[in-house]
Amino acid sequence: MCGICGCGSSKLSPLKPHHHHHDDKHSHSHAQETHGERLVRVEQDILAKNDGYAEQNRQYFQQHGIFALNFVSSPGAGKTTLLVATINALKNTRPIFVIEGDQQTDLDADRIRATGVAALQINTGKACHLDAHDIGHAVQSLKVPDNSLLAIENVGNLVCPSSFDLGEAHKVVVLSVTEGDDKPLKYPDMFHAADLMIINKIDLLPYTNFDVDRCIEFAKRINPAIEVLQLSATQEHTMGAWLEWLNQH
Amino acid sequence: MHEISLLESVLETLETQAKQQGFQQVKQVVLEIGALSCVEADALRFGFEVVMKNSLAEHAELVIIKIAGQGICPKCQQQVLLETLHDPCHHCGSFGVTVLQGQSMRIKELIVI
Ligand SMILES: Nc1nc2c(ncn2[C@@H]2O[C@H](COP(=O)(O)OP(=O)(O)OP(=O)(O)O)[C@@H](O)[C@H]2O)c(=O)[nH]1
Ligand SMILES: [Mg+2]
Ligand SMILES: [Zn+2]
């Protein structure tokens, strides 16, 4: 702190030297310094703004019968592959729309569009997650019709997206068997926030030491209510329970 | 790093409050961070200076109050102190303790001019 008036300006960089002009233009004069300080109680959640947008989205989804799922996983767990396989299985039975969140590129949206389903790509740049404000705009510009399934693929990241409610009905966490069965314990926030865990790439189980029971036990320690499905997004015949889950929700 | 996004929304709140409550400068920001929330106090401190640069809270002091994690055991119904989301009940050893406190991140109060 500045030794003369305690205004904290000693942290100013050398480019902006702190001059002690005691004239009227000095934005924090000594009179204000000693008499003008006051306490303001805020008592507000840091995420209040995001949560407000999320609540708006949730109401919009409810009013329009839109079933929104927020897919989260570490990079490469198979979210896009799962979405493409799901679309191919369901696109003739139910309207489906996809929002793709990635830091860079349109590659995932292009993979979705190749199925004939509309997809909107959001590039989050430096941000490592989608937020509820992004989703509100995306839903308007995609013109998602009533009673559709809205799949939101979040940025591949097992940490940050857990804090940001998008207004979805459920978070679905995808964990692939090549990542290790200890991931629920290492990234507990995500497994606490999710309602469904999909263990993906089970075709690769013979090549890993992934212990499915151990993984489920870890996930249930954090979230006793979490539902679990096992499948291979690359093998159609393993998708039955997942398609059934979607049917029932 | 979501700490930066969180700090950006802290700054937005400061700006809104400045209009509503009529102040020009923030000298201290007091945050309450739950032990079970997914932010790192160190990352917040690191990001704070960067995000508040050239704002009404440039050079403001950041005070972080840690809020302990607390839950209730589904089996023995007793209160449990939690350090992580996967701690077992320390009375009966059951997992799946229901979290009651410690996940939130709040702006508590400010000292302003
Ligand atoms: N063997 C096998 N490979 C799979 C399976 N599911 C996905 N893959 C492969 O895993 C790689 C990553 O899959 P993506 O669908 O791009 O993963 P993602 O989660 O969308 O990745 P990001 O969006 O970058 O986070 C691709 O090469 C897929 O072909 C599976 O069930 N089995
Ligand atoms: Mg993808
Ligand atoms: Zn107990």
Side-chain angles (χ1 to χ4, degrees), chain A residues 6 12 33 37-47 49 128-129 160 163 185 189 221-222 224, chain B residues 1-2 5-6 9 12-13 21-22 27 36 38 59 86 95-96 103 105-112:
Chain A
L12 281 176
E33 201 64 46
E37 270 189 20
R38 63 191 161 97
L39 186 80
V40 173
R41 289 202 192 286
V42 182
E43 301 290 352
Q44 204 183 88
D45 201 291
I46 295 178
L47 288 165
K49 205 160 169 219
C128 43
H129 57 271
C160 310
S163 302
L185 291 189
D189 299 288
R221 277 189 197 180
I222 292 151
Chain B
M1 209 173 70
H2 59 306
S5 319
L6 296 174
S9 73
E12 276 180 45
T13 304
Q21 315 259 356
K27 301 215 54 170
L36 307 174
C38 67
H59 309 308
H86 50 86
F95 285 106
Q103 284 196 290
M105 301 173 268
R106 293 171 67 77
I107 308 173
K108 186 175 166 57
E109 59 196 26
L110 315 170
I111 293 177
V112 303

Side-chain angles (χ1 to χ4, degrees), chain A residues 160-236:
Chain A
C160 310
S162 70
S163 302
F164 293 83
D165 183 8
L166 304 180
E168 71 275 349
H170 304 284
K171 278 193 182 70
V172 177
V173 60
V174 180
L175 177 64
S176 58
V177 302
T178 49
E179 295 169 64
D181 51 26
D182 55 359
K183 290 306 164 287
L185 291 189
K186 289 190 174 172
Y187 301 94
D189 299 288
M190 194 59 92
F191 293 86
H192 195 259
D195 295 319
L196 173 65
M197 169 167 79
I198 293 181
I199 301 178
N200 187 33
K201 309 194 189 179
I202 54 165
D203 55 300
L204 300 181
L205 276 174
Y207 309 101
T208 70
N209 60 357
F210 189 97
D211 182 334
V212 173
D213 292 337
R214 196 166 111 106
C215 178
I216 296 173
E217 197 249 309
F218 287 162
K220 295 210 167 185
R221 277 189 197 180
I222 292 151
N223 182 355
I226 198 166
E227 291 181 75
V228 183
L229 295 172
Q230 302 171 41
L231 55 81
S232 265
T234 50
Q235 296 182 320
E236 211 185 315

Side-chain angles (χ1 to χ4, degrees), chain A residues 76 78-81 100-102 108 111 153-154:
Chain A
K79 299 179 295 300
T80 311
T81 308
E100 283 291 338
D102 285 288
D108 279 0
R111 285 165 67 189
E153 179 179 339
N154 219 313

Side-chain angles (χ1 to χ4, degrees), chain A residues 6-19:
Chain A
C7 68
S9 298
S10 61
K11 280 190 207 145
L12 281 176
S13 67
L15 290 172
K16 282 197 280 172
H18 176 47
H19 295 303

